[in-house]
Amino acid sequence: MSTQTSRSNTQQKNASPDNQAQTLEVVRFHLNHGAETEAFIEASKAVNQFLKDQTGFLYRSLCQQDDQWLVVVYWANKTHAETAAKKLCQT
């Protein structure tokens, strides 16, 4: 899977209690040749469940156009996003 990931902070009136701005994580990618879309969607559901249990997780969206996928994850702040990413890599 080829991926491109970025995180950006967006200033909002209701920033998290630690005064960090909300963070938006964007991942754009293509599935590997031969990968089954249905299997990927099932794996994505497992990631959703993992994220729901993480502190600071707000929302995740997944969309597809042709062979390109886009995942957008909303976090209360950058610290929560980075902590969850580390945990996800360990599982």
Side-chain angles (χ1 to χ4, degrees), residues 7 22 25-26 29 33 52 55 59 67 76 83 88 90:
R7 285 191 186 97
Q22 288 187 340
E25 183 173 11
V26 179
F29 59 94
H33 180 71
K52 287 178 183 178
T55 302
Y59 181 78
D67 66 339
T83 300
L88 184 60
Q90 294 173 353

Side-chain angles (χ1 to χ4, degrees), residues 5-53:
T5 305
S6 62
R7 285 191 186 97
S8 69
N9 291 348
T10 55
Q11 296 293 343
Q12 301 225 345
K13 272 204 248 178
N14 1 348
S16 59
D18 57 6
N19 286 333
Q20 289 187 19
Q22 288 187 340
T23 297
L24 183 66
E25 183 173 11
V26 179
V27 182
R28 185 174 28 156
F29 59 94
H30 301 271
L31 295 182
N32 287 335
H33 180 71
E36 294 183 19
T37 300
E38 295 80 16
F40 167 71
I41 291 172
E42 286 304 311
S44 181
K45 289 178 184 177
V47 171
N48 283 346
Q49 190 55 51
F50 169 84
L51 293 176
K52 287 178 183 178
D53 294 336

